[in-house]
Amino acid sequence: MQKWIMSGLFFAACAIALVLMFTLPGKEEIAEEEKPAMPVVTLDAGAAETLVKANCISCHGDQLQGSVGPNLQNIGATLSAEQIYNIVSKGSGIMPAFKDQLKDEEIANVALWLSEKK
């Protein structure tokens, strides 16, 4: 009798595992969902500089030379505006996410401004 119960439980576990394997999203789908889409904005350098001075200089320095955070003076040479937008939105390493503190358009403007620094 116990063999039948154990066989039934094993079969049920296998059936659940198969259902989950084919219904859960894959790594690629999850990665696409986690990428915030950068809104289309026109660069406003003055507004971007004001936002950077208010939010970034404590870690990146007043000339973006780096301090606690990395040097951003030539960040546009290595990262695109979209990559910078994703980092600022979600955070990276010890850098906090700013998606709850700044509007998406503000983050996009800062990302465009930083991407021009080459």
Side-chain angles (χ1 to χ4, degrees):
M1 182 77 165
Q2 289 180 350
K3 289 182 182 178
W4 288 103
I5 293 172
M6 294 303 284
S7 298
L9 289 175
F10 179 74
F11 177 74
C14 288
I16 290 172
L18 283 173
V19 168
L20 290 176
M21 280 178 31
F22 292 108
T23 59
L24 291 177
K27 290 180 185 177
E28 296 83 18
E29 294 169 342
I30 291 173
E32 283 300 316
E33 290 173 4
E34 290 179 358
K35 285 185 182 177
M38 182 172 157
V40 177
V41 295
T42 303
L43 177 61
D44 181 354
E49 198 167 341
T50 302
L51 285 169
V52 167
K53 285 182 181 177
N55 297 288
C56 307
I57 63 171
S58 61
C59 294
H60 295 284
D62 61 345
Q63 300 298 314
L64 302 178
Q65 74 276 11
S67 177
V68 175
N71 182 327
L72 299 178
Q73 290 174 336
N74 297 317
I75 194 69
T78 56
L79 297 176
S80 69
E82 291 81 14
Q83 291 171 317
I84 297 169
Y85 176 81
N86 286 332
I87 291 170
V88 175
S89 294
K90 297 188 312 184
S92 176
I94 63 170
M95 179 176 165
F98 281 88
K99 66 180 178 217
D100 296 330
Q101 297 171 349
L102 300 173
K103 297 176 185 172
D104 290 339
E105 292 78 16
E106 292 174 326
I107 296 173
N109 191 36
V110 168
L112 282 174
W113 184 72
L114 286 171
S115 71
E116 296 288 318
K117 302 214 170 280
K118 298 181 181 180

PDB file of all heavy atoms in Angstrom, residues 72-100:
ATOM      1  N   LEU A  72      32.916  59.896 -13.551  1.00  0.00           N
ATOM      2  CA  LEU A  72      31.914  59.974 -14.620  1.00  0.00           C
ATOM      3  C   LEU A  72      32.288  60.994 -15.692  1.00  0.00           C
ATOM      4  O   LEU A  72      31.485  61.278 -16.572  1.00  0.00           O
ATOM      5  CB  LEU A  72      30.541  60.335 -14.037  1.00  0.00           C
ATOM      6  CG  LEU A  72      29.942  59.371 -13.024  1.00  0.00           C
ATOM      7  CD1 LEU A  72      28.603  59.897 -12.516  1.00  0.00           C
ATOM      8  CD2 LEU A  72      29.780  57.985 -13.613  1.00  0.00           C
ATOM      9  N   GLN A  73      33.503  61.530 -15.631  1.00  0.00           N
ATOM     10  CA  GLN A  73      33.888  62.590 -16.563  1.00  0.00           C
ATOM     11  C   GLN A  73      33.883  62.119 -18.016  1.00  0.00           C
ATOM     12  O   GLN A  73      33.607  62.910 -18.906  1.00  0.00           O
ATOM     13  CB  GLN A  73      35.262  63.142 -16.186  1.00  0.00           C
ATOM     14  CG  GLN A  73      35.234  63.928 -14.899  1.00  0.00           C
ATOM     15  CD  GLN A  73      36.616  64.367 -14.446  1.00  0.00           C
ATOM     16  OE1 GLN A  73      37.616  63.767 -14.809  1.00  0.00           O
ATOM     17  NE2 GLN A  73      36.643  65.409 -13.630  1.00  0.00           N
ATOM     18  N   ASN A  74      34.175  60.853 -18.270  1.00  0.00           N
ATOM     19  CA  ASN A  74      34.191  60.317 -19.645  1.00  0.00           C
ATOM     20  C   ASN A  74      33.286  59.095 -19.769  1.00  0.00           C
ATOM     21  O   ASN A  74      33.559  58.213 -20.580  1.00  0.00           O
ATOM     22  CB  ASN A  74      35.623  59.951 -20.044  1.00  0.00           C
ATOM     23  CG  ASN A  74      36.532  61.146 -20.061  1.00  0.00           C
ATOM     24  OD1 ASN A  74      36.159  62.207 -20.545  1.00  0.00           O
ATOM     25  ND2 ASN A  74      37.726  61.003 -19.511  1.00  0.00           N
ATOM     26  N   ILE A  75      32.229  59.051 -18.995  1.00  0.00           N
ATOM     27  CA  ILE A  75      31.364  57.867 -18.949  1.00  0.00           C
ATOM     28  C   ILE A  75      30.683  57.596 -20.292  1.00  0.00           C
ATOM     29  O   ILE A  75      30.400  56.452 -20.639  1.00  0.00           O
ATOM     30  CB  ILE A  75      30.333  57.975 -17.799  1.00  0.00           C
ATOM     31  CG1 ILE A  75      29.675  56.629 -17.526  1.00  0.00           C
ATOM     32  CG2 ILE A  75      29.288  59.040 -18.086  1.00  0.00           C
ATOM     33  CD1 ILE A  75      30.599  55.616 -16.923  1.00  0.00           C
ATOM     34  N   GLY A  76      30.446  58.632 -21.078  1.00  0.00           N
ATOM     35  CA  GLY A  76      29.803  58.464 -22.376  1.00  0.00           C
ATOM     36  C   GLY A  76      30.645  57.687 -23.369  1.00  0.00           C
ATOM     37  O   GLY A  76      30.125  57.163 -24.351  1.00  0.00           O
ATOM     38  N   ALA A  77      31.942  57.594 -23.118  1.00  0.00           N
ATOM     39  CA  ALA A  77      32.820  56.831 -24.004  1.00  0.00           C
ATOM     40  C   ALA A  77      32.664  55.326 -23.803  1.00  0.00           C
ATOM     41  O   ALA A  77      32.994  54.545 -24.685  1.00  0.00           O
ATOM     42  CB  ALA A  77      34.281  57.228 -23.781  1.00  0.00           C
ATOM     43  N   THR A  78      32.153  54.925 -22.640  1.00  0.00           N
ATOM     44  CA  THR A  78      32.027  53.489 -22.360  1.00  0.00           C
ATOM     45  C   THR A  78      30.578  53.015 -22.245  1.00  0.00           C
ATOM     46  O   THR A  78      30.321  51.835 -22.471  1.00  0.00           O
ATOM     47  CB  THR A  78      32.767  53.121 -21.056  1.00  0.00           C
ATOM     48  OG1 THR A  78      32.269  53.933 -19.990  1.00  0.00           O
ATOM     49  CG2 THR A  78      34.252  53.337 -21.191  1.00  0.00           C
ATOM     50  N   LEU A  79      29.661  53.892 -21.895  1.00  0.00           N
ATOM     51  CA  LEU A  79      28.256  53.494 -21.729  1.00  0.00           C
ATOM     52  C   LEU A  79      27.343  54.354 -22.589  1.00  0.00           C
ATOM     53  O   LEU A  79      27.569  55.560 -22.734  1.00  0.00           O
ATOM     54  CB  LEU A  79      27.826  53.614 -20.264  1.00  0.00           C
ATOM     55  CG  LEU A  79      28.524  52.720 -19.236  1.00  0.00           C
ATOM     56  CD1 LEU A  79      28.043  53.055 -17.830  1.00  0.00           C
ATOM     57  CD2 LEU A  79      28.290  51.262 -19.541  1.00  0.00           C
ATOM     58  N   SER A  80      26.288  53.748 -23.118  1.00  0.00           N
ATOM     59  CA  SER A  80      25.284  54.485 -23.891  1.00  0.00           C
ATOM     60  C   SER A  80      24.302  55.159 -22.933  1.00  0.00           C
ATOM     61  O   SER A  80      24.269  54.857 -21.730  1.00  0.00           O
ATOM     62  CB  SER A  80      24.532  53.533 -24.812  1.00  0.00           C
ATOM     63  OG  SER A  80      23.718  52.660 -24.044  1.00  0.00           O
ATOM     64  N   ALA A  81      23.485  56.029 -23.469  1.00  0.00           N
ATOM     65  CA  ALA A  81      22.469  56.710 -22.661  1.00  0.00           C
ATOM     66  C   ALA A  81      21.506  55.689 -22.038  1.00  0.00           C
ATOM     67  O   ALA A  81      21.113  55.829 -20.878  1.00  0.00           O
ATOM     68  CB  ALA A  81      21.706  57.722 -23.508  1.00  0.00           C
ATOM     69  N   GLU A  82      21.149  54.656 -22.793  1.00  0.00           N
ATOM     70  CA  GLU A  82      20.233  53.637 -22.282  1.00  0.00           C
ATOM     71  C   GLU A  82      20.860  52.861 -21.127  1.00  0.00           C
ATOM     72  O   GLU A  82      20.191  52.561 -20.131  1.00  0.00           O
ATOM     73  CB  GLU A  82      19.813  52.665 -23.396  1.00  0.00           C
ATOM     74  CG  GLU A  82      18.922  53.273 -24.454  1.00  0.00           C
ATOM     75  CD  GLU A  82      19.707  54.070 -25.506  1.00  0.00           C
ATOM     76  OE1 GLU A  82      20.958  53.937 -25.582  1.00  0.00           O
ATOM     77  OE2 GLU A  82      19.082  54.852 -26.222  1.00  0.00           O
ATOM     78  N   GLN A  83      22.155  52.543 -21.248  1.00  0.00           N
ATOM     79  CA  GLN A  83      22.839  51.829 -20.170  1.00  0.00           C
ATOM     80  C   GLN A  83      22.924  52.695 -18.912  1.00  0.00           C
ATOM     81  O   GLN A  83      22.701  52.214 -17.803  1.00  0.00           O
ATOM     82  CB  GLN A  83      24.243  51.406 -20.622  1.00  0.00           C
ATOM     83  CG  GLN A  83      24.225  50.328 -21.677  1.00  0.00           C
ATOM     84  CD  GLN A  83      25.609  50.092 -22.265  1.00  0.00           C
ATOM     85  OE1 GLN A  83      26.341  51.033 -22.561  1.00  0.00           O
ATOM     86  NE2 GLN A  83      25.967  48.819 -22.423  1.00  0.00           N
ATOM     87  N   ILE A  84      23.240  53.968 -19.091  1.00  0.00           N
ATOM     88  CA  ILE A  84      23.298  54.886 -17.950  1.00  0.00           C
ATOM     89  C   ILE A  84      21.923  55.012 -17.324  1.00  0.00           C
ATOM     90  O   ILE A  84      21.787  55.004 -16.095  1.00  0.00           O
ATOM     91  CB  ILE A  84      23.858  56.260 -18.382  1.00  0.00           C
ATOM     92  CG1 ILE A  84      25.298  56.108 -18.877  1.00  0.00           C
ATOM     93  CG2 ILE A  84      23.776  57.268 -17.241  1.00  0.00           C
ATOM     94  CD1 ILE A  84      25.860  57.344 -19.564  1.00  0.00           C
ATOM     95  N   TYR A  85      20.888  55.109 -18.156  1.00  0.00           N
ATOM     96  CA  TYR A  85      19.515  55.209 -17.651  1.00  0.00           C
ATOM     97  C   TYR A  85      19.172  53.995 -16.781  1.00  0.00           C
ATOM     98  O   TYR A  85      18.604  54.133 -15.701  1.00  0.00           O
ATOM     99  CB  TYR A  85      18.532  55.323 -18.819  1.00  0.00           C
ATOM    100  CG  TYR A  85      17.093  55.340 -18.394  1.00  0.00           C
ATOM    101  CD1 TYR A  85      16.500  56.508 -17.941  1.00  0.00           C
ATOM    102  CD2 TYR A  85      16.316  54.178 -18.427  1.00  0.00           C
ATOM    103  CE1 TYR A  85      15.175  56.528 -17.537  1.00  0.00           C
ATOM    104  CE2 TYR A  85      15.001  54.191 -18.028  1.00  0.00           C
ATOM    105  CZ  TYR A  85      14.435  55.371 -17.587  1.00  0.00           C
ATOM    106  OH  TYR A  85      13.128  55.381 -17.173  1.00  0.00           O
ATOM    107  N   ASN A  86      19.526  52.798 -17.250  1.00  0.00           N
ATOM    108  CA  ASN A  86      19.238  51.580 -16.482  1.00  0.00           C
ATOM    109  C   ASN A  86      19.986  51.570 -15.151  1.00  0.00           C
ATOM    110  O   ASN A  86      19.422  51.183 -14.127  1.00  0.00           O
ATOM    111  CB  ASN A  86      19.610  50.329 -17.291  1.00  0.00           C
ATOM    112  CG  ASN A  86      18.626  50.067 -18.404  1.00  0.00           C
ATOM    113  OD1 ASN A  86      17.466  50.426 -18.329  1.00  0.00           O
ATOM    114  ND2 ASN A  86      19.094  49.450 -19.464  1.00  0.00           N
ATOM    115  N   ILE A  87      21.237  52.000 -15.150  1.00  0.00           N
ATOM    116  CA  ILE A  87      22.020  52.013 -13.911  1.00  0.00           C
ATOM    117  C   ILE A  87      21.444  53.015 -12.925  1.00  0.00           C
ATOM    118  O   ILE A  87      21.287  52.711 -11.739  1.00  0.00           O
ATOM    119  CB  ILE A  87      23.505  52.326 -14.215  1.00  0.00           C
ATOM    120  CG1 ILE A  87      24.138  51.156 -14.971  1.00  0.00           C
ATOM    121  CG2 ILE A  87      24.271  52.615 -12.927  1.00  0.00           C
ATOM    122  CD1 ILE A  87      25.520  51.452 -15.523  1.00  0.00           C
ATOM    123  N   VAL A  88      21.109  54.210 -13.401  1.00  0.00           N
ATOM    124  CA  VAL A  88      20.560  55.233 -12.504  1.00  0.00           C
ATOM    125  C   VAL A  88      19.183  54.809 -11.991  1.00  0.00           C
ATOM    126  O   VAL A  88      18.866  54.993 -10.814  1.00  0.00           O
ATOM    127  CB  VAL A  88      20.489  56.612 -13.202  1.00  0.00           C
ATOM    128  CG1 VAL A  88      19.816  57.640 -12.323  1.00  0.00           C
ATOM    129  CG2 VAL A  88      21.891  57.086 -13.583  1.00  0.00           C
ATOM    130  N   SER A  89      18.381  54.205 -12.839  1.00  0.00           N
ATOM    131  CA  SER A  89      17.036  53.779 -12.438  1.00  0.00           C
ATOM    132  C   SER A  89      17.061  52.652 -11.416  1.00  0.00           C
ATOM    133  O   SER A  89      16.384  52.717 -10.388  1.00  0.00           O
ATOM    134  CB  SER A  89      16.231  53.311 -13.650  1.00  0.00           C
ATOM    135  OG  SER A  89      15.992  54.370 -14.520  1.00  0.00           O
ATOM    136  N   LYS A  90      17.856  51.609 -11.702  1.00  0.00           N
ATOM    137  CA  LYS A  90      17.844  50.401 -10.863  1.00  0.00           C
ATOM    138  C   LYS A  90      18.942  50.368  -9.820  1.00  0.00           C
ATOM    139  O   LYS A  90      18.890  49.575  -8.889  1.00  0.00           O
ATOM    140  CB  LYS A  90      17.982  49.149 -11.733  1.00  0.00           C
ATOM    141  CG  LYS A  90      16.837  48.943 -12.689  1.00  0.00           C
ATOM    142  CD  LYS A  90      16.881  47.613 -13.393  1.00  0.00           C
ATOM    143  CE  LYS A  90      18.214  47.270 -13.975  1.00  0.00           C
ATOM    144  NZ  LYS A  90      18.240  46.036 -14.743  1.00  0.00           N
ATOM    145  N   GLY A  91      19.972  51.200  -9.988  1.00  0.00           N
ATOM    146  CA  GLY A  91      21.122  51.142  -9.099  1.00  0.00           C
ATOM    147  C   GLY A  91      22.080  50.059  -9.562  1.00  0.00           C
ATOM    148  O   GLY A  91      21.749  49.235 -10.412  1.00  0.00           O
ATOM    149  N   SER A  92      23.278  50.082  -8.990  1.00  0.00           N
ATOM    150  CA  SER A  92      24.284  49.092  -9.364  1.00  0.00           C
ATOM    151  C   SER A  92      25.346  49.056  -8.276  1.00  0.00           C
ATOM    152  O   SER A  92      25.893  50.098  -7.910  1.00  0.00           O
ATOM    153  CB  SER A  92      24.923  49.476 -10.705  1.00  0.00           C
ATOM    154  OG  SER A  92      25.958  48.582 -11.044  1.00  0.00           O
ATOM    155  N   GLY A  93      25.620  47.875  -7.761  1.00  0.00           N
ATOM    156  CA  GLY A  93      26.609  47.761  -6.691  1.00  0.00           C
ATOM    157  C   GLY A  93      26.160  48.553  -5.469  1.00  0.00           C
ATOM    158  O   GLY A  93      25.059  48.366  -4.963  1.00  0.00           O
ATOM    159  N   ILE A  94      26.995  49.513  -5.047  1.00  0.00           N
ATOM    160  CA  ILE A  94      26.630  50.324  -3.879  1.00  0.00           C
ATOM    161  C   ILE A  94      25.783  51.536  -4.259  1.00  0.00           C
ATOM    162  O   ILE A  94      25.281  52.238  -3.385  1.00  0.00           O
ATOM    163  CB  ILE A  94      27.878  50.771  -3.083  1.00  0.00           C
ATOM    164  CG1 ILE A  94      28.776  51.665  -3.925  1.00  0.00           C
ATOM    165  CG2 ILE A  94      28.634  49.582  -2.538  1.00  0.00           C
ATOM    166  CD1 ILE A  94      29.892  52.338  -3.138  1.00  0.00           C
ATOM    167  N   MET A  95      25.632  51.791  -5.553  1.00  0.00           N
ATOM    168  CA  MET A  95      24.813  52.929  -5.987  1.00  0.00           C
ATOM    169  C   MET A  95      23.338  52.605  -5.808  1.00  0.00           C
ATOM    170  O   MET A  95      22.849  51.579  -6.275  1.00  0.00           O
ATOM    171  CB  MET A  95      25.081  53.248  -7.454  1.00  0.00           C
ATOM    172  CG  MET A  95      24.243  54.401  -7.950  1.00  0.00           C
ATOM    173  SD  MET A  95      24.643  54.833  -9.628  1.00  0.00           S
ATOM    174  CE  MET A  95      23.221  55.839 -10.019  1.00  0.00           C
ATOM    175  N   PRO A  96      22.602  53.499  -5.138  1.00  0.00           N
ATOM    176  CA  PRO A  96      21.167  53.254  -4.942  1.00  0.00           C
ATOM    177  C   PRO A  96      20.377  53.518  -6.229  1.00  0.00           C
ATOM    178  O   PRO A  96      20.830  54.224  -7.122  1.00  0.00           O
ATOM    179  CB  PRO A  96      20.781  54.265  -3.859  1.00  0.00           C
ATOM    180  CG  PRO A  96      21.753  55.388  -4.037  1.00  0.00           C
ATOM    181  CD  PRO A  96      23.042  54.744  -4.493  1.00  0.00           C
ATOM    182  N   ALA A  97      19.203  52.957  -6.296  1.00  0.00           N
ATOM    183  CA  ALA A  97      18.284  53.212  -7.411  1.00  0.00           C
ATOM    184  C   ALA A  97      17.620  54.572  -7.198  1.00  0.00           C
ATOM    185  O   ALA A  97      17.270  54.935  -6.085  1.00  0.00           O
ATOM    186  CB  ALA A  97      17.235  52.116  -7.479  1.00  0.00           C
ATOM    187  N   PHE A  98      17.441  55.316  -8.278  1.00  0.00           N
ATOM    188  CA  PHE A  98      16.818  56.633  -8.200  1.00  0.00           C
ATOM    189  C   PHE A  98      15.426  56.663  -8.826  1.00  0.00           C
ATOM    190  O   PHE A  98      14.835  57.727  -8.954  1.00  0.00           O
ATOM    191  CB  PHE A  98      17.718  57.689  -8.867  1.00  0.00           C
ATOM    192  CG  PHE A  98      18.858  58.121  -7.996  1.00  0.00           C
ATOM    193  CD1 PHE A  98      20.056  57.433  -8.013  1.00  0.00           C
ATOM    194  CD2 PHE A  98      18.729  59.198  -7.144  1.00  0.00           C
ATOM    195  CE1 PHE A  98      21.108  57.809  -7.208  1.00  0.00           C
ATOM    196  CE2 PHE A  98      19.776  59.594  -6.317  1.00  0.00           C
ATOM    197  CZ  PHE A  98      20.972  58.894  -6.352  1.00  0.00           C
ATOM    198  N   LYS A  99      14.889  55.489  -9.204  1.00  0.00           N
ATOM    199  CA  LYS A  99      13.581  55.469  -9.872  1.00  0.00           C
ATOM    200  C   LYS A  99      12.456  55.975  -8.977  1.00  0.00           C
ATOM    201  O   LYS A  99      11.443  56.457  -9.468  1.00  0.00           O
ATOM    202  CB  LYS A  99      13.273  54.076 -10.389  1.00  0.00           C
ATOM    203  CG  LYS A  99      13.075  53.055  -9.296  1.00  0.00           C
ATOM    204  CD  LYS A  99      12.774  51.693  -9.860  1.00  0.00           C
ATOM    205  CE  LYS A  99      12.646  50.730  -8.698  1.00  0.00           C
ATOM    206  NZ  LYS A  99      13.154  49.457  -8.958  1.00  0.00           N
ATOM    207  N   ASP A 100      12.626  55.885  -7.660  1.00  0.00           N
ATOM    208  CA  ASP A 100      11.584  56.355  -6.749  1.00  0.00           C
ATOM    209  C   ASP A 100      11.811  57.802  -6.315  1.00  0.00           C
ATOM    210  O   ASP A 100      10.920  58.412  -5.728  1.00  0.00           O
ATOM    211  CB  ASP A 100      11.518  55.457  -5.506  1.00  0.00           C
ATOM    212  CG  ASP A 100      11.100  54.041  -5.845  1.00  0.00           C
ATOM    213  OD1 ASP A 100      10.339  53.873  -6.826  1.00  0.00           O
ATOM    214  OD2 ASP A 100      11.534  53.107  -5.153  1.00  0.00           O
TER     215      ASP A 100
END
